[in-house]
Amino acid sequence: MHAIMAEPLDTLQTPCLLLDEARLRANAERMRTHLAGLGVALRPHLKTAKSLEVGRIAMASPEGPAIVSTLLEAEYFAAGGVRDMIYGVGIAPAKLPRVVAIRAGGTDLSIILDSLEQAEAVAAHARASGDAIPVLIEVDADGHRSGVAPGDADTLVAIGRTLVAGGAKLRGVMLHAGDSYSLRDPEALAAAAENERVAAVTAAEALRAAGLPCPVVSVGSTPTARFARDLTGITEVRAGVYMLGDLFQAGVGSVAVADIAVSVLATVIGHQRAKGWIIVDAGWMAMSRDRGTARQAVDQGYGLVCDQAGQPYPDLIVADANQEHGIVALRKGSGASLPELPIGAQIRILPNHACATGAQYDRYHVLDGENRVTATWPRINGW
Amino acid sequence: MHAIMAEPLDTLQTPCLLLDEARLRANAERMRTHLAGLGVALRPHLKTAKSLEVGRIAMASPEGPAIVSTLLEAEYFAAGGVRDMIYGVGIAPAKLPRVVAIRAGGTDLSIILDSLEQAEAVAAHARASGDAIPVLIEVDADGHRSGVAPGDADTLVAIGRTLVAGGAKLRGVMLHAGDSYSLRDPEALAAAAENERVAAVTAAEALRAAGLPCPVVSVGSTPTARFARDLTGITEVRAGVYMLGDLFQAGVGSVAVADIAVSVLATVIGHQRAKGWIIVDAGWMAMSRDRGTARQAVDQGYGLVCDQAGQPYPDLIVADANQEHGIVALRKGSGASLPELPIGAQIRILPNHACATGAQYDRYHVLDGENRVTATWPRINGW
């Protein structure tokens, strides 16, 4: 954390990424309280924020636990003192030497996999390196992506036995209810969370019935974490986007627009008045190409436009974008009027997707409650 | 350029960005020859490659000319010896001190604008700094984005007079036929190029008729540069994507798939055989969220899948993507069969959009004609 004298937003070159620290802390606290009430541990996913400073606000302790999406994140957070991590993408055998190197540095990094081929490769590497690499078997909650079917006890047990017999460690099962992102109704989200829970417990029981260990039963996504009502049998919940929030999660209903802690600061660089366009210096490079809200009830274009202080203008969105140009316009059919924003005026844009927009930046400019910049926090990108 | 011993692709950690040097050089040469035949200068746009090594292959000389999309690029290329650049995004007054600082370092950096307000701000800054900042007036070729209408002589002349009288320098006009990206038919593309040319010449003549200087008449986009047949009255053409190529430009017809010089190297990390899915470790973070081909005749998903040596598989695309997972599958309705790609196998993915995919990486791994890695070239991202 690089503390600086609090400075006004006008001193920043645009586009740049802003982080409202009070909103971040409130989002972290809300999820912590919710899951504590359900009696499970929170393992924050650091793939959204990719920042040690943000991670320390979200994690139970500076040592973790946490989950990451790349080995570069694992290396970065391990160097920052995080001692309990999952690398949450199915392991490629060629990545095992990096996993073992991180573990040799004193971080309990576990990996995930969903095939016998991977289990055999991990067991062979565990034997060769003398490190009993801990493994979670990825289980498929909803057909969204990867994972062994929760009812496929034969495959689960075969993978578990291969790991244990081969010198690796079977730590448990993990699931991600990715299809919850397409929902919106709270009842449907609660049902998705329950479906994820049942799939996890089913898989864990299959391993235990075969005499295999399964101490960890890990589930999670921001929507199911937020809408889960009962987590019996689950030991930990993972979620990440909730810390920062974004318009897509607001469309799902798992955060409120007023809780979104990240925004892009941009400057007006032109007008096409006959078309009702305001041109700003934040295009898709600054916002990312993410158009996830296009499939939701409210299409937010490339982002929702706010004044410099962060207050949304009615119906004003980044309607289209080129690489370094955003075209700001009223939502189609809106009865609102275009604000008068002269050349040089600053605006703030709430992003569709915090993970995608954040990845375009190497730092956050951190704001206090009066929209002054109090610090710069670095982000890690890449693999 | 960091020369290394030529190494096989298997030594690389995935995902990572590959650059086929022979294809890059051939793409650069093809555009150079085409424009030389039309008697105009080429000003390569370095916003796609964002690399000094690539820029040196594309530029007429190590000193330029070139155009860039961010001031960070301008600073980076100026530090690398480029002496003639345009910053090709409408200027925000708060950026003028950085422009003057780059110019003070010995680089002839010019800027663009399309309003009297900007012209007044630039003139005031030119007087205050004692630097006669050179300006191109942005002219709107096709209603795509920014620019003064080419027939609006009053505004063009008022901007020109404000600049000249105020102590800045009027260097000319510049246009970008952005709407050409939505075309495909060679005749329509040639017509778009001619439309861009006529708009440019019309605006230049309006300035000259008022006694204002207009030495530079600058047009360009990769499609119109490629399909232009006559560039009478034009002094320079700008283009950028042509160097690397991508599936979107292949869809427009301005590059061939076999000329695409960038690809993402990825590794197979899983299978969902019942669904015909191969899971790889290149998701949308590795490919970018760009889905530009979704609006074209051939939707390439998140990218076209090739074998490790770069040969496309029939109909195999990244059909869907999560942050770090790509779901590889056959195109809908394909009669091809899914290749046998075991866990750990490497594939290469051609991107929809070289600018967007490139921005996810801080370096290129450069390949020789035998797909060996011969060098690592850094890229610059951010603002």
Side-chain angles (χ1 to χ4, degrees), chain B residues 144-199:
Chain B
H144 178 70
R145 179 168 82 197
S146 301
V148 180
D152 185 357
D154 289 351
T155 301
L156 289 166
V157 170
I159 290 173
R161 287 194 175 139
T162 299
L163 290 168
V164 171
K169 186 176 288 175
L170 176 59
R171 186 163 278 170
V173 295
M174 73 93 77
L175 300 83
H176 168 62
D179 267 12
S180 66
Y181 281 49
S182 64
L183 304 174
R184 186 180 166 83
D185 171 51
E187 286 305 315
L189 286 157
E194 175 62 8
N195 175 65
E196 189 183 32
R197 185 191 75 78
V198 170

Side-chain angles (χ1 to χ4, degrees), chain A residues 1-5 53 363-364 366 373-379:
Chain A
M1 171 164 168
H2 309 279
I4 54 178
M5 293 287 292
E53 287 79 5
R363 76 200 77 170
Y364 299 95
V366 183
V373 184
T374 57
T376 303
W377 292 353
R379 282 178 48 93

Side-chain angles (χ1 to χ4, degrees), chain A residues 141-167:
Chain A
D142 53 13
H144 178 71
R145 180 168 82 197
S146 302
V148 179
D152 185 355
D154 288 352
T155 301
L156 290 167
V157 170
I159 290 173
R161 287 192 174 138
T162 298
L163 292 168
V164 170

Side-chain angles (χ1 to χ4, degrees), chain A residues 82-145:
Chain A
V82 183
R83 292 287 166 260
D84 174 357
M85 276 188 278
I86 299 172
Y87 166 49
V89 177
I91 194 71
K95 291 176 181 163
L96 288 167
R98 282 173 80 186
V99 170
V100 168
I102 294 165
R103 292 179 47 75
T107 291
D108 181 9
L109 179 68
S110 53
I111 60 175
I112 72 169
L113 52 77
D114 69 354
S115 70
L116 261 177
E117 298 93 308
Q118 287 165 299
E120 284 160 3
V122 170
H125 201 81
R127 285 193 302 276
S129 64
D131 177 7
I133 304 163
V135 175
L136 296 156
I137 302 177
E138 186 172 9
V139 175
D140 182 13
D142 53 13
H144 178 71
R145 180 168 82 197

Side-chain angles (χ1 to χ4, degrees), chain A residues 10 12-16 47-48 50 69-71 73 87-95 97-98 112 114-115 117-118 138 140 142-148 176 267-273 275 277 279-281 284-291 295 322-325 327 343-344 353 355-356 359-362 379 381-383, chain B residues 10 12-16 47-48 50 69-71 73 87-95 97-98 112 114-115 117-118 138 140 142-148 176 267-273 275 277 279-281 284-291 295 322-325 327 343-344 353 355-356 359-362 379 381-383:
Chain A
D10 309 75
L12 294 176
Q13 289 280 298
T14 57
C16 64
K47 70 166 187 161
T48 306
K50 298 200 182 209
S69 69
T70 70
L71 286 180
E73 289 168 45
Y87 166 49
V89 177
I91 194 71
K95 291 176 181 163
R98 282 173 80 186
I112 72 169
D114 69 354
S115 70
E117 298 93 308
Q118 287 165 299
E138 186 172 9
D140 182 13
D142 53 13
H144 178 71
R145 180 168 82 197
S146 302
V148 179
H176 168 62
T267 300
V268 173
I269 59 169
H271 299 91
Q272 292 284 337
R273 295 186 199 278
K275 295 173 180 164
W277 290 357
I279 312 290
V280 299
D281 66 354
W284 60 252
M285 191 65 86
M287 299 309 303
S288 91
R289 270 291 196 193
D290 197 291
R291 289 281 293 108
R295 298 186 304 272
N322 296 167
Q323 184 160 336
E324 297 293 347
H325 298 76
I327 298 178
I343 295 280
H353 191 166
C355 308
Q360 306 303 102
Y361 297 89
D362 64 1
R379 282 178 48 93
N381 292 314
W383 294 268
Chain B
D10 309 78
L12 295 176
Q13 288 280 296
T14 57
C16 64
K47 70 164 189 160
T48 306
K50 297 200 182 207
S69 68
T70 70
L71 286 181
E73 288 168 46
Y87 166 50
V89 177
I91 194 69
K95 292 176 181 164
R98 282 172 80 186
I112 72 168
D114 68 354
S115 70
E117 298 93 309
Q118 286 166 301
E138 187 172 9
D140 182 15
D142 54 10
H144 178 70
R145 179 168 82 197
S146 301
V148 180
H176 168 62
T267 301
V268 174
I269 59 170
H271 299 89
Q272 293 284 339
R273 294 185 200 279
K275 296 173 179 163
W277 290 357
I279 313 291
V280 300
D281 65 354
W284 60 252
M285 190 66 84
M287 298 310 302
S288 91
R289 270 291 194 193
D290 197 292
R291 289 282 292 108
R295 298 186 303 273
N322 296 168
Q323 184 161 337
E324 298 292 347
H325 297 77
I327 298 178
I343 295 279
H353 191 166
C355 308
Q360 307 301 101
Y361 297 89
D362 65 0
R379 280 179 48 93
N381 293 314
W383 294 269

Side-chain angles (χ1 to χ4, degrees), chain A residues 162-201:
Chain A
T162 298
L163 292 168
V164 170
K169 186 176 288 175
L170 176 59
R171 184 163 279 171
V173 294
M174 74 92 79
L175 299 82
H176 168 62
D179 267 10
S180 66
Y181 281 48
S182 64
L183 304 174
R184 186 180 165 82
D185 172 52
E187 286 304 314
L189 286 158
E194 175 62 9
N195 176 65
E196 188 183 33
R197 185 191 75 79
V198 170
V201 171

Side-chain angles (χ1 to χ4, degrees), chain B residues 34-50:
Chain B
H34 170 58
L35 293 178
L38 291 170
V40 294
L42 168 62
R43 181 183 290 273
H45 208 317
L46 303 182
K47 70 164 189 160
T48 306
K50 297 200 182 207

